[in-house]
Amino acid sequence: MKHLVKQASAWAAVIAVLLTANFSQAAEKKDIVDTAVGAGSFKTLAAALGAADLVNALRGEGPFTVFAPTDAAFKKLPAGTVEMLLKPENKDKLIAVLTYHVVPGKVAAKDVVKLKGAKTLNGQRVDIMTKGDKVKIDGATVETVDINCTNGIIHVIDSVILPTDKNIVVTAAEAGKFKTLIAAAKAAGLAEALSGKGPLTVFAPTDEAFAKLPEGTVASLLKPENKQKLADILKYHVVPGRVYSEDALAAKKAKTLQGNNINIGVADGTAKVNNAKLLATDIDASNGVIHVIDSVIMPSDAKKFSATEAREKIKHAVAQGARLYNSGHHDASAKLYKKTMHEVLKGVDQMPEEIRTRMKHALSNSSQMHCPTQQAWTLRHALDHAYTRMSAL
């Protein structure tokens, strides 16, 4: 009898495995939308996708990772919220909410738990936290994982997660520690741009950062006659696009709205933007992201110019240097070439590395020479080479 019971239990286990396998295979033959509809517990999500005209997008090739709130999750929202979102006049807001639940690519559970955050199709990033056997996406708990579909994967969550709808200026104002920055943005006529569509990345100095400037600096910059100077300084803190901290550190530099680059890196275990320390990172706003810094960073006064302008500068320097050299002023000729080379290196951002390297070598080699004649000719050869090569730019 016991043998028959064990045999029956074994067969039951086999049947259960076969049924589960068949179910998984069936799910994997459907796209994300059909899988969600077929599950029967995502009716509100399906209705919302229809109202937002996102059904075809989520039936596309993908792949996508969807953190899918159940019907019970939508019921947790304040009364009337779902009805409000489904109204035609709120379509953009609904799209923002739904795309905040979708991450590009297929991210299985084993990979999700390795992340601290993930950038969504909304543009903003969801925070991911793993504690024990619980995984949270923002504040929502993941209930079921790895529902594979033909164009991606679904992870079921128990709450609707909401992106911020506050822009950079509002976000900064509510933080309470960027009063000087906001006042400066208004004085420079940039507050409207920072409240616009974006996206923008702002390296935001705190009030304490502005207080570190020499006495009277802020008051002077806020004067109407210094509006352009103030605007240039503020634009030096803004990078186009939504650049999160890990991407910024990987890039090592970024071109600002002011035109010059900022350097981003880690020194002595501290993340920095130029010489300013990063105090907080990845603060999402509806139109960008904010990184908090402890100092105001100042753009260089060095003028930026094109390759054509650089060639003209070299041409005039060589002509003047040749006259000095032929008159016996070899030292003055070398100094002129050296000065021109430094200006060109600082002034041209998109210079080919081969030209930049050759000029740097010439400067380094000439600094070790004691003969002005040798210095002048070493620098002159590098300038001639740069002039010729820049004609192709």
Side-chain angles (χ1 to χ4, degrees):
M1 184 67 179
K2 288 182 179 179
H3 176 73
L4 289 173
V5 170
K6 286 182 179 179
Q7 194 174 44
S9 297
W11 277 109
V14 170
I15 291 168
V17 170
L18 289 172
L19 287 172
T20 302
N22 288 336
F23 177 78
S24 297
Q25 289 171 2
E28 290 180 8
K29 291 179 181 178
K30 296 179 180 179
D31 61 38
I32 287 170
V33 175
D34 287 340
T35 300
V37 170
S41 53
F42 302 101
K43 294 175 183 176
T44 310
L45 176 60
L49 289 172
D53 288 331
L54 291 176
V55 171
N56 287 337
L58 286 180
R59 277 192 166 133
E61 184 177 351
F64 306 107
T65 297
V66 177
F67 295 102
T70 59
D71 292 332
F74 276 97
K75 287 180 180 178
K76 288 183 182 180
L77 293 171
T81 301
V82 174
E83 291 77 10
M84 178 272 292
L85 287 171
L86 292 175
K87 290 179 179 178
E89 60 267 29
N90 294 323
K91 182 177 178 180
D92 287 344
K93 189 170 185 178
L94 178 60
I95 290 172
V97 171
L98 293 175
T99 53
Y100 190 58
H101 290 75
V102 184
V103 171
K106 185 176 182 178
V107 189
K110 64 181 178 63
D111 298 314
V112 170
V113 297
K114 298 174 186 176
L115 303 174
K116 292 184 178 179
K119 190 172 181 179
T120 69
L121 293 186
N122 166 287
Q124 296 182 43
R125 194 167 74 164
V126 291
D127 295 323
I128 300 171
M129 185 178 71
T130 304
K131 189 173 182 181
D133 61 350
K134 296 286 186 183
V135 179
K136 286 188 175 289
I137 309 298
D138 281 358
T141 300
V142 178
E143 294 184 327
T144 307
V145 300
D146 293 346
I147 301 172
N148 287 292
C149 310
T150 57
N151 62 340
I153 195 167
I154 297 173
H155 305 299
V156 182
I157 55 177
D158 72 345
S159 303
V160 178
I161 53 177
L162 299 172
T164 181
D165 59 356
K166 296 169 182 174
N167 64 44
I168 289 169
V169 174
V170 173
T171 301
E174 290 188 354
K177 55 185 177 183
F178 301 104
K179 294 175 184 176
T180 309
L181 176 61
I182 294 170
K186 290 178 179 177
L190 296 176
E192 187 175 345
L194 292 175
S195 301
K197 186 177 180 180
L200 299 169
T201 297
V202 177
F203 294 93
T206 61
D207 292 332
E208 290 181 356
F210 277 98
K212 286 161 64 174
L213 292 172
E215 186 176 353
T217 300
V218 173
S220 174
L221 287 171
L222 291 174
K223 291 179 179 179
E225 59 267 31
N226 293 324
K227 182 177 179 180
Q228 186 57 54
K229 186 176 181 179
L230 177 60
D232 286 341
I233 292 172
L234 295 180
K235 287 179 181 178
Y236 190 57
H237 291 75
V238 183
V239 172
R242 193 187 291 265
V243 185
Y244 287 100
S245 55
E246 65 271 20
D247 297 324
L249 287 169
K252 296 183 180 179
K253 65 179 181 179
K255 189 169 186 178
T256 68
L257 294 186
Q258 181 263 352
N260 287 359
N261 287 336
I262 51 173
N263 297 311
I264 307 163
V266 177
D268 300 323
T270 302
K272 290 186 174 184
V273 179
N274 288 358
N275 291 319
K277 293 179 182 178
L278 277 162
L279 301 176
T281 61
D282 303 329
I283 301 169
D284 264 318
S286 61
N287 62 339
V289 63
I290 298 171
H291 306 299
V292 184
I293 55 177
D294 75 339
S295 303
V296 178
I297 53 177
M298 294 292 187
S300 168
D301 290 331
K303 182 182 181 297
K304 297 294 179 182
F305 39 83
S306 67
T308 301
E309 291 172 323
R311 289 181 78 242
E312 283 300 307
K313 179 176 280 291
I314 291 171
K315 179 180 176 182
H316 289 302
V318 167
Q320 186 179 349
R323 287 194 294 271
L324 288 169
Y325 187 91
N326 293 333
S327 301
H329 303 295
H330 296 183
D331 186 52
S333 176
K335 287 179 179 177
L336 174 62
Y337 293 154
K338 182 178 180 180
K339 178 185 175 185
T340 303
M341 205 170 287
H342 279 299
E343 289 176 353
V344 170
L345 283 169
K346 288 181 181 179
V348 182
D349 279 334
Q350 303 300 321
M351 184 188 300
E353 194 58 35
E354 179 258 338
I355 301 176
R356 188 177 295 277
T357 299
R358 184 154 177 173
M359 292 176 78
K360 286 182 177 179
H361 282 167
L363 285 168
S364 176
N365 291 338
S366 67
S367 68
Q368 298 174 37
M369 297 173 180
H370 300 290
C371 174
T373 303
Q374 285 183 305
Q375 288 178 336
W377 273 111
T378 298
L379 297 170
R380 166 68 186 271
H381 285 317
L383 285 172
D384 287 342
H385 172 263
Y387 181 86
T388 302
R389 292 283 287 108
M390 282 187 188
S391 64
L393 299 182

